[in-house]
């Protein structure tokens, strides 16, 4: 008889956002007259920018003629997009990344989950706590995390790096030496950032102990302050210890069209083995490439018109973030984030768990957020709101919360 991967059976409950979706659906079914505002899941609400739409239409027209039709995409992605990425996201920021070190994909979520496949099951991972659930869950599926302790919400073979108010929601170097370190800045869920000097400390540490950093920079477009790095490759030595994940979802609204990329420098090795070669083998075997029309749309992100239009969209969402941040502070909540990131991290009212606060917001204000405990044990007592709603719904949600 066939057997299943028992590691899947170790996962506690369902994926965080699936649980939230189920609770919201059940509430709406029981209360069809209520208007629910979602500030929970990080999905964008503004339409694709005109420059992107124009590129999409042009690419669709190309697909209608035999001489301009495109079939399977190249393994790494089309050269026109990889060249645009290499110039705008790296060369223009003083980073040494070549186009053939960039792997185009259908999004950072998939890459952040799949990247662990090129590493041995014996590797020990270190994650921030709270953390984006995909990092941990996919390592559970691979059999790398040990046993789960339901009381503490932790895995025996995972190194947790608490990110609390006391340390500014930034992790400290772990006492136990990890093999793989997951970092995400600007951070999801806390909205925190670290300085270039702080990130350099992590790069130096990884090179010293022989660890690899998987750096999720999906929200770098929201950085507004000086000395906050947009890429880990701004740090000296990052080419020998870091893999970077980037997304077009939050900076350009591609949540529905799906596009992202992973950077693996050829200098990053385990002994004599280049991780670039391993990921290229995995990419070529398991992935057939993002659609041509979507990659052409991605190229338009870097056009002068695209940059201008997307700066306006980022500004729109960050105005929402400022509105939420200011409004909650006026109500007396303890709040952080919302400056270099579209996430606001708030402390729940005294004595209330994050899921209890979720229920109160849903039932009394008809507003959906994300319980902090869903991101890890250090997230208990906190709650995440996103700035990706419309301005009108954001203002309305705050008024409802104010009346609780």
């Amino acid at each position: 008889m066939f057997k299943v991967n028992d590691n899947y059976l170790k996962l506690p409950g369902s994926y965080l956002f699936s649980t939230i979706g189920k609770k919201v659906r059940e509430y709406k079914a029981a209360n069809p007259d209520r208007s629910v505002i979602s500030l929970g899941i990080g999905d964008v609400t503004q339409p694709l920018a005109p420059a992107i739409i124009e590129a999409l239409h042009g690419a669709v027209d190309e697909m209608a003629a035999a001489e301009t039709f495109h079939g399977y995409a190249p393994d790494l992605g089309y050269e026109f997009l990889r060249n645009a990425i290499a110039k705008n996201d790296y060369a223009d920021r003083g980073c040494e990344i070549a186009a053939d070190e960039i792997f185009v994909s259908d999004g950072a979520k998939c890459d952040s989950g799949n990247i662990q496949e090129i590493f041995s099951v014996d590797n020990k991972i270190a994650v921030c706590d709270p953390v984006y659930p995909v990092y941990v869950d996919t390592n559970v599926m691979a059999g790398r995390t040990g046993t789960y302790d339901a009381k503490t919400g932790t895995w025996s073979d995972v190194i947790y790096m608490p990110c609390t108010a006391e340390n500014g929601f930034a992790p400290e170097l772990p006492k136990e030496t990890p093999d793989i370190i997951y970092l995400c800045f600007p951070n999801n869920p806390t909205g925190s950032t670290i300085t270039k000097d702080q990130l350099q400390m992590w790069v130096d540490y990884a090179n010293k102990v022989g660890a690899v950093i998987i750096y999720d920079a999906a929200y770098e477009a929201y950085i507004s302050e000086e000395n906050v790095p947009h890429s880990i490759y701004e740090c000296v030595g990052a080419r020998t210890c870091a893999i970077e994940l980037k997304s077009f979802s939050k900076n350009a609204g591609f949540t529905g069209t799906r596009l992202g990329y992973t950077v693996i420098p050829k200098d990053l090795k385990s002994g004599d083995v280049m991780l670039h070669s391993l990921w290229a083998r995995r990419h070529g075997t398991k992935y057939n490439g993002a659609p041509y029309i979507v990659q052409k749309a991605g190229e338009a992100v870097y056009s002068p018109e695209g940059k201008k239009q997307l700066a306006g969209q980022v500004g729109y969402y960050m105005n929402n973030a400022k509105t939420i941040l200011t409004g909650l502070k006026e109500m007396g909540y303890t709040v952080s984030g919302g400056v270099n990131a579209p996430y606001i991290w708030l402390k729940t009212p005294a004595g209330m768990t994050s899921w209890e606060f979720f229920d109160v917001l849903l039932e009394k204000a008809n507003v959906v957020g994300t319980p902090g405990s869903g991101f890890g044990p250090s997230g208990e007592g906190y709650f995440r709101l996103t700035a990706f709603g419309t301005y009108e719904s954001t203002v309305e949600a705050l008024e409802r919360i104010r009346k609780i």
Side-chain angles (χ1 to χ4, degrees):
M1 182 178 177
F2 67 85
K3 297 180 180 179
V4 299
N5 180 348
D6 289 340
N7 293 313
Y8 278 72
L9 306 180
K10 299 176 182 177
L11 289 163
S14 61
Y15 180 55
L16 170 63
F17 297 106
S18 299
T19 301
I20 291 172
K22 180 181 178 182
K23 289 174 75 75
V24 173
R25 287 192 299 273
E26 290 174 349
Y27 179 81
K28 286 182 176 180
N31 301 275
D33 58 325
R34 303 287 177 85
S35 171
V36 176
I37 298 174
S38 178
L39 298 180
I41 296 175
D43 197 1
V44 296
T45 53
Q46 295 300 294
L48 293 174
I52 295 170
I53 291 295
E54 183 179 352
L56 277 170
H57 281 298
V60 169
D61 289 340
E62 287 184 56
M63 298 296 277
E67 58 270 21
T68 53
F69 173 80
H70 289 79
Y72 290 125
D75 284 354
L76 271 66
Y78 284 100
E79 193 170 335
F80 61 77
L81 178 56
R82 290 187 288 110
N83 285 338
I85 293 168
K87 179 186 183 301
N88 290 274
D89 288 349
Y90 296 103
D92 288 355
R93 292 188 175 128
C95 304
E96 183 189 348
I97 294 296
D100 65 356
E101 295 175 319
I102 297 166
F103 296 81
V104 176
S105 71
D106 59 358
K109 178 180 179 179
C110 292
D111 286 354
S112 67
N114 293 330
I115 196 68
Q116 53 79 28
E117 289 187 20
I118 65 174
F119 298 101
S120 167
V121 176
D122 298 334
N123 284 298
K124 193 110 174 184
I125 71 167
V127 297
C128 294
D129 173 29
V131 67
Y132 181 45
V134 172
Y135 307 154
V136 175
D137 287 359
T138 52
N139 277 283
V140 174
M141 294 171 182
R144 196 176 283 113
T145 56
T147 57
Y148 183 69
D149 185 334
K151 292 183 178 179
T152 62
T154 59
W155 295 88
S156 61
D157 291 344
V158 173
I159 300 170
Y160 290 89
M161 303 180 293
C163 298
T164 64
E166 289 71 28
N167 60 15
F169 300 106
E172 298 170 359
L173 296 177
K175 293 182 176 63
E176 185 180 355
T177 303
D179 301 299
I180 303 170
I181 303 166
Y182 286 84
L183 295 178
C184 172
F185 290 103
N187 186 258
N188 176 18
T190 67
S192 63
T193 56
I194 57 177
T195 66
K196 184 175 179 179
D197 287 343
Q198 287 176 300
L199 186 54
Q200 184 67 60
M201 175 189 71
W202 281 99
V203 169
D204 293 342
Y205 171 78
N207 279 319
K208 178 182 177 181
V209 302
V212 61
I213 297 173
I214 298 175
Y215 193 75
D216 188 342
Y219 302 95
E220 62 82 19
Y222 292 85
I223 294 171
S224 60
E225 294 182 324
E226 296 293 328
N227 200 32
V228 177
H230 289 258
S231 167
I232 196 169
Y233 301 115
E234 294 177 35
C235 296
V236 176
R239 285 185 56 86
T240 57
C241 70
I243 294 171
E244 185 161 273
L245 313 174
K246 289 268 189 91
S247 169
F248 286 75
S249 289
K250 304 307 193 295
N251 68 322
F254 278 50
T255 53
T257 41
R258 308 306 306 147
L259 191 65
Y261 65 87
T262 290
V263 177
I264 304 186
K266 293 180 180 179
D267 297 345
L268 180 52
K269 299 179 180 181
S270 174
D272 295 327
V273 179
M274 290 197 307
L275 268 61
H276 181 280
S277 299
L278 298 184
W279 187 243
R281 186 69 172 87
R282 192 262 176 210
H283 210 62
T285 300
K286 291 192 172 186
Y287 186 62
N288 262 343
Y292 171 74
I293 60 174
V294 176
Q295 294 197 47
K296 287 298 288 184
E299 183 185 29
V301 167
Y302 299 102
S303 69
E305 298 83 4
K307 288 180 179 179
K308 182 178 179 181
Q309 292 162 9
L310 293 178
Q313 285 197 358
V314 168
Y316 179 92
Y317 292 130
M318 289 312 293
N319 183 57
N320 286 350
K322 182 179 179 181
T323 300
I324 297 172
L325 194 67
T326 302
L328 291 176
K329 284 182 177 179
E330 289 175 353
M331 295 179 215
Y333 286 93
T334 300
V335 196
S336 61
V339 176
N340 295 295
Y343 294 121
I344 292 85
W345 190 241
L346 64 133
K347 194 167 180 58
T348 59
M352 194 175 293
T353 69
S354 55
W355 275 108
E356 287 172 346
F357 188 62
F358 173 91
D359 290 336
V360 167
L361 275 191
L362 179 59
E363 293 168 9
K364 293 188 176 181
N366 304 146
V367 172
V368 178
T370 309
S373 61
F375 298 102
S378 290
E380 182 55 87
Y382 286 89
F383 203 78
R384 192 194 76 173
L385 294 176
T386 83
F388 288 123
T390 65
Y391 177 72
E392 293 75 17
S393 65
T394 298
V395 171
E396 173 64 21
L398 282 173
E399 287 304 309
R400 294 182 185 183
I401 295 171
R402 196 184 305 273
K403 294 177 182 177
I404 294 179

